[in-house]
Amino acid sequence: MASLTGAQVLAQALKQQGVQVVFGIVGIPVVEIADAIQAEGIKFIGFRNEQSCSYAASAWGYLTQQPGVCLAVSGPGVVHALAGIVHSQVNTWPMVLIGGACETLLEGAGAFQEFRQVEMCRPYTKYSARPASIGLIPTVVDRAFTAAAAGRPGASYIDLPADIIQGQVSQVKSAPSFAPAVGMADPAAVARAVELLAAAKSPLLVVGKGAAYARAEEQIRALVDKYQAPFLPTPMGKGVVPDDHPRNVSSARSAALAGADVIVLLGARVNWLLHFGRRFSPTAKLIQIDVCPEEMGVNVPLAVGLVGHLPLVVQQLTDALAGPFLADPEESEFVRGLVAHGRKNAERQNERYLSDELPMTYYRAFAEIKQRLPADVVLVSEGANTMDIARTVFDFQLPRRRLDCATFANMGVGMGYAIAAQEYYVGSRVVAIVGDSAFGFSAMELETAVRARLPLIIVVINNSGIYFGLDQDQYEERRDVLPSTALTPEVRYELIAEAVGAKGYLVRTPEELGSAVDTALKSDGL
């Protein structure tokens, strides 16, 4: 009977879990794992930095609802990949990190890259373990994937010592895959929520990225159409209901939050993204729908908490509602006020799009890009000003097409996100618009994308600094003591692209930017 190595057992277990792609960096002792993964027909995309590949795995989990898989070497590799572990845990996206480790017999002896990785990852994961034998690898893999995907999603870690990876067994019993159960809300709680919504004069639906992850777009669109309440998407909740829907009040965000008497939180946490609820009316009644009971009532008191799988609970709510919150919602003072407020804000925004200033403003640059993008574009946005302003400019008609730094707000996610998104959205264009500081965290992943033949479009908004920088004259005048936000003026980032085999363009005017975007969209390469 042919024997199997631990690496081969792992690869077969990953295939049984439905893994299609693994993001990682190889080295001692995980080269054999990558080889075995590829032999099983699973794609391996090798990165240049563990942070980036861990962010790619995190984004894959968000986009697919299946744990994204990251492979890292022992010691420093796992430490670097911890960034993606924490990112996934905070954002509640499913991810599994697989890390190599020194031989078990050498633990405590000062072995190569020896580190207590299981213990390090445990506080930041739902499951962190090392199989005690090759035969237990399938069981540990199944538990890691189940923990990552079930209930409130998060991260798992699997630790594999070199002797487990390279050891051999004659046969291994596969572990049965587990399909996480989903539940509905308490009918009595649904009835209380319906009473509040029926009595509301100025209701507001807040659509969070949890709604996008849960694939609740069909149910939430039906709720909006039946109840006719204004809705406000959070940055990564955009597209769950199309941004061009007449009930979208994104352009009157502050007025909507302050004026609502009943607020329904649909997969949205009341954290910094919603100002901890401090901009809600003090008398507003809150209805929260979330898969996680522990999330109920965080930072704000609730009138009703509905715990369950978001698509199912929203369907319960929609079925129980009699119809619109008013017989003629268009006559609602609340709706009319938000429409007027949004119109004024939109007019101011449109004026910004026409600016002739040079260097270009963010708004003018984004307007040039926006008008050229296809309807199904996937937009990755990171950077301080770059991300914040882009949130107000770009519209989305489809869910899960906008990716940003999300709840954990960490920079450096852009290239990893873009690579994962292009691997998933094979037929769509992926465009990453990143600030120069943010791009610096992962610029060498351009080479990764070229090697993986991914036709990404990367736009670096270069203001020569973090938040803001200096022009060349200012830089020379203050060279002895530079501001902490300053970077070298006008770094030629497009030359990095050319150095790794991609096309690069330096643009300074709206016309040059528009031409470069048009050319990039016609190309099938990076």
Side-chain angles (χ1 to χ4, degrees), residues 274-291:
L274 286 174
H275 319 287
F276 312 102
R278 295 169 188 167
R279 297 189 185 179
F280 300 165
S281 167
T283 60
K285 296 179 173 61
L286 269 66
I287 300 168
Q288 186 170 11
I289 305 177
D290 202 282
V291 73

Side-chain angles (χ1 to χ4, degrees), residues 33 58 70 104 117 132 163 166 196 223 229 297 338 347 387 405 413 437 484 503 519:
I33 291 177
S58 184
C70 178
T104 52
Q117 295 159 186
D163 48 313
Q166 298 163 2
L196 288 176
L223 172 63
L338 293 179
E347 289 171 356
M387 182 180 65
C405 70
V413 299
S437 172
S484 61
K503 296 182 178 67
T519 301

Side-chain angles (χ1 to χ4, degrees), residues 368-398:
E368 291 298 323
I369 298 169
K370 177 182 177 178
Q371 63 184 295
R372 291 170 165 81
L373 296 183
D376 66 344
V377 69
V378 182
L379 185 71
V380 177
S381 179
E382 74 161 336
N385 300 326
T386 303
M387 182 180 65
D388 290 342
I389 295 173
R391 173 178 56 82
T392 70
V393 174
F394 294 94
D395 301 318
F396 297 86
Q397 313 310 321
L398 298 170

